[in-house]
Amino acid sequence: MAQNEKIRLGILFGGRSGEHEVSLMSSNSVFKVLDPKRYAVTPIGITREGHWVVGENIWQALGSGNTQSLRRAVLLPEPRSRTLYVQEMRAGQNVLTPYVDLDVIFPVLHGTFGEDGTLQGLFEMIDVAYVGGGVLASSVGMDKALFKDVMRANDIPVVNSILVTRNEIEKHIEKVLAQAENVAAYPLFVKPVNMGSSVGVSKCRNRPDLLEGLMDAAQYDRRILIERGVNAREIEVSVLGNSDPMVSIPGEIVPGEEFYSYTAKYAEDSQSLLEIPARLDPALTRRIQDLALQAYRAIDGAGMARVDFLLDKDSQEVFISEVNTIPGFTQISMYPKLWEASGIPYPQLIDRLVDLAFERKAERDRTVYQYGRSK
Ligand SMILES: Nc1ncnc2c1ncn2[C@@H]1O[C@H](COP(=O)(O)OP(=O)(O)O)[C@@H](O)[C@H]1O
Ligand SMILES: [Mg+2]
């Protein structure tokens, strides 16, 4: 890339997960601060059905579901071409025409098929630079059960839990209920392993609640976590960087409901608040920041992540709850807000993330993939 040339950046959003709308909001905020003097930006949408699309007024079109005016786009899994093609029917033939070449892709998609490593696998195949964690960090970050196992292996404290399958719930419910009640006294939390936005998460106060919670969660995933319910403050920190990541000051979520449910997160009339900085003593702040960096390294995090904690109000114990490798990115989202409060304004944060994507790509290019072959 010549010095004076613009960076050709594809911003990717929408997608097939339940967090489609959140992605539209986050990506639009990112798009608005990308400096047109520095970047030649191509917005690339993914419809709810999974079609990639480009064209005018794309956020509006995806938001309304009215995507007829948009053109279909595809990336081919060819290393190093990094070309986005438009796909059109001409005289009954399916024709691919080069649309734009991309230097870097900024995926702003949450949840399945975006944040879980699937998309990152495609980027690796194409050999393009991309913002955020790689395949492994993304998939481990997404899978709440595997994530907890990795934390346990690294002596990072997590809340007691067991993993059960949909099949066990359907065939051996009595056994599952007994095992669950062995984890801890009620309340217990039930959640699908691969979800986000609190979809399928429930707080269960007794056996009938638990039964209902398990049935609900089993709709969303084959694997279900049952956790001790912590009387908790919810503390979050932002991490930024590749091999030498930095960590922000902590923020606190004060949910407007009994826990930070889907409606507490997104409802128009939600009473949930972000408190930045979180009111914590310096020792606890440092402990949370250290654990966040340890967790980030343990999953081979890159680029960014928001690391969420449960702070037990009764015992003051800290537990890591989850890592979000593509956190919310609206102007009022915790991830950018924490950086702003830590001295990195939103536009600079975006520039830094793009730089980190190139840095990581350069690092990857140093790796030799075949024995006895040098680059
Ligand atoms: N073990 C737990 N104890 C207390 N509250 C919990 C527990 N697990 C989840 N929660 C509550 O449920 C919310 C969503 O759970 P979380 O594991 O963060 O899933 P998601 O990926 O959907 O955000 C949390 O923000 C918190 O309010
Ligand atoms: Mg969460």
Side-chain angles (χ1 to χ4, degrees):
M1 210 185 320
Q3 276 284 307
N4 52 3
E5 273 179 34
K6 289 185 187 181
I7 296 170
R8 297 169 301 182
L9 181 146
I11 178 168
L12 195 59
F13 51 89
R16 291 158 71 186
S17 89
E19 290 160 290
H20 184 95
E21 278 91 11
V22 186
S23 163
L24 295 185
M25 289 189 276
S26 286
S27 57
N28 200 249
S29 295
V30 173
F31 175 70
K32 282 187 180 144
V33 300
L34 287 167
D35 180 358
K37 290 203 268 315
R38 187 165 185 228
Y39 303 103
V41 183
T42 305
I44 309 163
I46 303 181
T47 66
R48 287 176 194 283
E49 294 73 37
H51 302 306
W52 291 39
V53 287
V54 291
E56 297 284 305
N57 299 324
I58 185 161
W59 275 277
Q60 218 178 336
L62 280 183
S64 65
N66 228 328
T67 53
Q68 291 91 326
S69 64
L70 301 174
R71 300 165 83 187
R72 284 281 191 93
V74 286
L75 280 175
L76 301 178
E78 293 276 327
R80 296 180 200 286
S81 74
R82 296 167 209 151
T83 305
L84 184 74
Y85 296 86
V86 287
Q87 184 185 19
E88 277 150 336
M89 291 300 280
R90 278 199 218 133
Q93 298 274 343
N94 211 339
V95 182
L96 293 185
T97 317
Y99 183 68
V100 65
D101 290 338
L102 298 169
D103 302 312
V104 60
I105 298 181
F106 196 144
V108 193
L109 295 116
H110 312 295
T112 329
F113 308 119
E115 191 177 354
D116 63 352
T118 49
L119 195 58
Q120 289 71 16
L122 176 64
F123 300 152
E124 295 282 338
M125 298 288 283
I126 293 166
D127 203 21
V128 67
Y130 59 97
V131 170
V135 174
L136 186 69
S138 304
S139 56
V140 175
M142 186 74 200
D143 190 295
K144 290 181 165 62
L146 247 300
F147 173 74
K148 292 185 82 163
D149 288 342
V150 174
M151 294 302 104
R152 287 181 179 115
N154 285 273
D155 293 324
I156 299 171
V158 290
V159 174
N160 264 357
S161 63
I162 55 165
L163 178 65
V164 298
T165 62
R166 182 189 288 158
N167 190 48
E168 286 168 328
I169 294 171
E170 286 167 355
K171 303 238 166 75
H172 309 288
I173 187 65
E174 284 302 322
K175 195 170 146 206
V176 168
L177 292 172
Q179 281 174 342
E181 286 169 348
N182 255 335
V183 171
Y186 289 104
L188 295 167
F189 269 81
V190 172
K191 55 182 92 164
V193 163
N194 279 289
M195 259 291 170
S197 287
S198 303
V199 174
V201 178
S202 44
K203 179 175 181 173
C204 311
R205 285 171 200 77
N206 48 43
R207 214 170 227 234
D209 265 10
L210 180 59
L211 189 58
E212 199 181 313
L214 287 168
M215 295 301 168
D216 183 48
Q219 293 183 73
Y220 298 106
D221 204 344
R222 198 173 52 77
R223 287 151 69 236
I224 314 298
L225 263 183
I226 305 168
E227 285 184 357
R228 172 169 86 84
V230 180
N231 177 21
R233 288 174 68 188
E234 298 191 47
I235 310 293
E236 306 187 344
V237 292
S238 298
V239 178
L240 176 68
N242 292 336
S243 50
D244 193 16
M246 52 201 264
V247 59
S248 74
I249 59 165
E252 178 162 1
I253 301 278
V254 186
E257 296 176 24
E258 197 171 345
F259 73 95
Y260 203 32
S261 63
Y262 186 89
T263 47
K265 284 179 183 176
Y266 303 119
E268 294 261 339
D269 59 351
S270 162
Q271 306 288 306
S272 302
L273 302 170
L274 309 188
E275 197 164 326
I276 299 173
R279 262 175 276 179
L280 294 172
D281 68 55
L284 213 44
T285 296
R286 223 167 316 143
R287 172 150 170 78
I288 286 170
Q289 289 174 325
D290 283 349
L291 289 173
L293 289 174
Q294 282 175 40
Y296 192 77
R297 290 204 174 92
I299 66 165
D300 193 27
M304 61 182 167
R306 197 192 71 229
V307 187
D308 299 351
F309 293 86
L310 296 171
L311 171 59
D312 193 322
K313 286 183 195 168
D314 305 322
S315 68
Q316 293 299 304
E317 276 174 290
V318 175
F319 301 98
I320 195 156
S321 173
E322 57 166 347
V323 168
N324 292 283
T325 50
I326 306 186
F329 253 104
T330 68
Q331 299 276 359
I332 57 158
S333 296
M334 189 62 117
Y335 185 81
K337 280 247 187 210
L338 287 175
W339 282 123
E340 230 157 57
S342 305
I344 306 178
Y346 193 109
Q348 274 178 36
L349 173 64
I350 303 300
D351 288 346
R352 182 78 194 113
L353 284 166
V354 174
D355 291 346
L356 286 166
F358 285 119
E359 184 190 293
R360 184 147 185 280
K361 171 78 171 72
E363 185 65 42
R364 205 156 63 228
D365 289 346
R366 291 178 49 200
T367 307
V368 176
Y369 290 98
Q370 292 179 33
Y371 174 69
R373 287 242 185 140
S374 58
K375 282 253 153 181

